[in-house]
Amino acid sequence: MTNIQDNSQEREELHKSIWAIADDLRGAVDGWDFKNYVLGVMFYRFISENISHYVQDWAKNAGDDSFVYADCPDDEIDDNLRQQLIAEKGFFIYPSQLFCTVLKNAKQDLDLNINLGNIFKAIESATKGTESEHNFAGLFDDIDLHSNKLGGNVPDRNKRLVKILEGVDRMKLRYQNGIDAFGDAYEYLMSMYASNAGKSGGEFFTPQEVSQLLARIATIGKTSVDKVYDPACGSGSLLLQVSKVLGNDKVGDGFFGQEINITTYNLCRINMFLHNVSFNKFDIVHQDTLLKPMHSGMEFEVIVSNPPYSIKWDGDANPTLIDDPRYSPAGVLAPKSKADLAFVMHSLHHLKNSGTAAIVCFPGIFYRSGAEQKIRQYLIDKNLVDAVIALPNNLFYGTPISTYVLVLKSSRPNMSTVQFVDASQEFVKITNNNRLSQSNISRIVEAIRDKQDQEYFSKNVSIEAIKEQNYNLSVSTYISKRDERQKIDIDQLNAMIVDIVKKQVELREAIDDIVATLQSSR
């Protein structure tokens, strides 16, 4: 227990110092616009130290304890070593290109922004034609070293770059005392940027406690899984949370995701590397999931996702979509103005027979009529819905709305009920937001795992009862709210009223007596 408390305190102190540095670095630049510089340079530092330690461990195992990779001249690195490093690590960096080398010479480098840009291009180019090319292609594109956000001219940009390099260097990012410092700090910074960015922040980062809830629900009864998938993966926090819940190396074949936003796509790939996920254990692609799925033919044991709420899509304006095997089973497409159930049908199509999907959804899709009702009917008639959970409002960055979690299973033998959980009151208040505590998360997960019925909280509802409600899957339809109103004793209230009236009469008579006395004394 002491070690856990020490780690927690150390992590909190680390977080505070990292955010203070990151916030100071941006100066007058908006934090959301500046995040790519801090996060990108943090990644650059990580891969520099990662490859240095890797080569130095080689040397130590060969009997040379004094070898320092950063001190080695570039021309002494032969091509065989270079190719071996790319094959094993997925990337290569010459000693002269390392973070520590660039930092040492940064203040004197009048072409720092150009030279740093060339290093980023060289790191990417080194992977071309190799297995890891896909993982590094365009990875540094969002770090614009010629942007006016860094400064109005080259000297000013270089001064800001020096400050960023020095700031990232001051961050105490080491692997020690059980803390994966780089990955932990990266996720913390992303959460801080998201919380300060309003709506746009919520689109790229799911709060960690929500990610944990989905990961725990999707892995109930599992000690390891083969593949994890998120069709709208954002910065990858949901994917990585599955590994955190099950334990390292418990996701055998790796992490798979698709993301339409190029900046977020790059952040996701960086997030994978910073959590020590090998390049051959993740496949993150940049494309429109609903129109151009990039993992066709693949099935996944665990799917966790927080897709964008009620975005527009082609829907029935594209006549080919109704024949798409992802959407055709329902016989109808999600409305053009609300793609939520298109993401649900896409996820279901990729769900393995023994798999579970946990998807954050907008509440409206659970009760609206029309095409959405027909899709719900398909899901219920095919016995694919395992649970529906109402979450508290104000959990997500940039929006106060409440949300639901839809739990799907491809195979539910002998199950003739759907579990509904009203977790809308399961939260703790922290500043302006609500948060799920560990006890909140555990209560929800245990109710789902054990199929518990708890008054005002969870209830197993028969398929037939749901059909009678026209396939309405709104939690409030099946779970009543606790009546928090104060109960009133009518007899006691009447007695109080009689007593008040009596006192009013007595008071009025006393006042009349006083007035009469005053008048007679004139």
Side-chain angles (χ1 to χ4, degrees):
M1 180 63 72
T2 303
N3 288 338
I4 294 174
Q5 291 174 341
D6 289 345
N7 279 357
S8 177
Q9 184 175 357
E10 183 178 343
R11 179 180 284 109
E12 186 176 338
E13 291 301 316
L14 177 63
H15 286 172
K16 287 180 181 178
S17 64
I18 287 173
W19 180 246
I21 292 168
D23 198 41
D24 176 63
L25 291 177
R26 68 181 179 88
V29 182
D30 181 76
W32 182 248
D33 292 333
F34 200 67
K35 70 182 184 305
N36 294 330
Y37 295 104
V38 175
L39 297 176
V41 172
M42 182 188 295
F43 172 64
Y44 170 47
R45 176 186 164 185
F46 169 80
I47 58 175
S48 294
E49 295 184 8
N50 188 286
I51 202 166
S52 296
H53 293 156
Y54 195 74
V55 175
Q56 286 161 196
D57 283 344
W58 272 356
K60 184 179 292 186
N61 290 335
D64 187 355
D65 292 341
S66 61
F67 178 80
V68 177
Y69 184 62
D71 294 340
C72 184
D74 287 357
D75 56 13
E76 291 186 11
I77 306 297
D78 63 42
D79 196 55
N80 288 333
L81 174 61
R82 179 175 172 274
Q83 294 301 327
Q84 187 175 354
L85 284 168
I86 293 173
E88 296 186 19
K89 300 297 295 179
F91 62 93
F92 175 77
I93 308 175
Y94 279 107
S96 66
Q97 299 170 333
L98 294 171
F99 174 87
C100 61
T101 308
V102 172
L103 174 64
K104 183 168 58 178
N105 302 315
K107 287 184 177 180
Q108 293 76 39
D109 189 349
L110 300 180
D111 296 316
L112 177 61
N113 66 327
I114 296 173
N115 292 332
L116 194 55
N118 289 337
I119 289 173
F120 292 162
K121 289 176 184 176
I123 295 171
E124 181 182 332
S125 296
T127 67
K128 288 185 177 178
T130 72
E131 188 182 350
S132 60
E133 179 179 359
H134 165 66
N135 302 99
F136 275 87
L139 197 58
F140 294 99
D141 285 357
D142 289 305
I143 308 174
D144 186 355
L145 299 174
H146 304 284
S147 172
N148 286 334
K149 292 172 184 175
L150 286 174
N153 52 57
V154 172
D156 286 347
R157 288 170 200 154
N158 286 339
K159 285 180 183 178
R160 178 63 64 82
L161 281 175
V162 169
K163 191 174 181 181
I164 294 171
L165 289 165
E166 290 177 341
V168 170
D169 182 60
R170 291 200 308 275
M171 295 179 181
K172 297 178 181 179
L173 304 176
R174 297 285 185 273
Y175 295 102
Q176 57 186 3
N177 297 331
I179 297 178
D180 178 1
F182 275 98
D184 182 70
Y186 188 76
E187 292 237 350
Y188 168 73
L189 279 176
M190 285 196 294
S191 70
M192 291 301 291
Y193 285 127
S195 67
N196 285 280
K199 183 179 178 181
S200 55
E203 291 174 353
F204 97 104
F205 190 77
T206 302
Q208 285 195 4
E209 64 272 15
V210 178
S211 298
Q212 184 187 142
L213 173 65
L214 266 64
R216 287 184 61 181
I217 289 173
T219 57
I220 287 175
K222 302 178 187 296
T223 56
S224 63
V225 298
D226 53 4
K227 296 187 290 289
V228 180
Y229 177 57
D230 185 346
C233 62
S235 55
S237 60
L238 273 164
L239 290 169
L240 290 164
Q241 194 65 232
V242 174
S243 179
K244 293 178 183 178
V245 167
L246 291 178
N248 293 334
D249 302 322
K250 296 299 183 180
V251 181
D253 295 329
F255 305 86
F256 297 77
Q258 189 162 337
E259 172 58 40
I260 194 171
N261 181 288
I262 185 67
T263 297
T264 312
Y265 159 68
N266 288 334
L267 289 172
C268 182
R269 291 187 293 166
I270 289 174
N271 203 11
M272 292 290 154
F273 281 115
L274 287 175
H275 281 85
N276 260 344
V277 179
S278 176
F279 71 93
N280 55 9
K281 292 291 290 288
F282 71 88
D283 181 27
I284 309 298
V285 292
H286 172 234
Q287 193 52 266
D288 186 330
T289 299
L290 299 181
L291 300 182
K292 295 183 178 179
M294 303 301 289
H295 296 100
S296 296
M298 298 184 69
E299 292 184 336
F300 302 92
E301 190 175 356
V302 166
I303 297 176
V304 284
S305 191
N306 177 20
Y309 305 145
S310 301
I311 60 169
K312 295 178 181 179
W313 77 306
D314 286 7
D316 58 15
N318 184 338
T320 66
L321 289 176
I322 194 59
D323 296 320
D324 189 309
R326 297 173 294 162
Y327 311 125
S328 59
V332 66
L333 297 169
K336 288 184 288 188
S337 60
K338 303 175 184 70
D340 309 71
L341 282 172
F343 282 103
V344 169
M345 292 298 294
H346 170 91
S347 295
L348 183 61
H349 176 76
H350 286 281
L351 192 60
K352 200 171 181 178
N353 191 48
S354 60
T356 303
I359 308 167
V360 178
C361 299
F362 184 75
I365 70 169
F366 293 90
Y367 59 81
R368 289 192 293 244
S369 59
E372 292 176 316
Q373 182 186 34
K374 292 178 180 177
I375 296 173
R376 293 197 305 271
Q377 179 175 349
Y378 165 76
L379 296 174
I380 291 297
D381 287 349
K382 292 297 182 181
N383 200 24
L384 299 166
V385 179
D386 192 62
V388 180
I389 307 161
L391 295 180
N393 61 13
N394 209 26
L395 280 182
F396 293 85
Y397 302 116
T399 177
I401 64 170
S402 57
T403 53
Y404 275 31
V405 175
L406 176 63
V407 183
L408 300 173
K409 288 191 175 183
S410 291
S411 178
R412 290 187 352 118
N414 304 319
M415 288 296 295
S416 58
T417 62
V418 173
Q419 189 176 28
F420 291 85
V421 178
D422 183 0
S424 59
Q425 301 306 308
E426 290 294 312
F427 66 89
V428 293
K429 192 79 174 177
I430 298 179
T431 60
N432 295 324
N433 286 89
N434 295 330
R435 290 285 180 264
L436 297 173
S437 68
Q438 288 302 307
S439 61
N440 296 144
I441 294 171
S442 293
R443 187 184 183 200
I444 298 168
V445 172
E446 288 164 9
I448 297 293
R449 182 193 64 202
D450 301 332
K451 298 300 176 189
Q452 300 170 354
D453 277 356
Q454 299 179 43
E455 190 176 15
Y456 307 120
F457 181 68
S458 61
K459 184 178 181 180
N460 290 280
V461 179
S462 70
I463 298 295
E464 291 306 313
I466 293 172
K467 291 179 180 179
E468 290 173 4
Q469 293 291 336
N470 295 317
Y471 297 94
N472 187 323
L473 295 179
S474 177
V475 170
S476 60
T477 301
Y478 305 101
I479 299 180
S480 59
K481 295 284 187 183
R482 187 189 300 272
D483 189 351
E484 301 288 353
R485 293 174 300 179
Q486 182 179 0
K487 292 183 179 179
I488 299 174
D489 186 324
I490 298 299
D491 292 338
Q492 183 181 12
L493 179 61
N494 286 333
M496 289 174 61
I497 292 172
V498 169
D499 187 53
I500 291 171
V501 171
K502 180 182 178 182
K503 288 180 178 178
Q504 283 181 328
V505 171
E506 292 174 351
L507 180 61
R508 186 172 287 114
E509 290 175 349
I511 292 172
D512 288 343
D513 289 343
I514 293 171
V515 171
T517 300
L518 290 173
Q519 288 177 339
S520 62
S521 64
R522 287 180 179 177

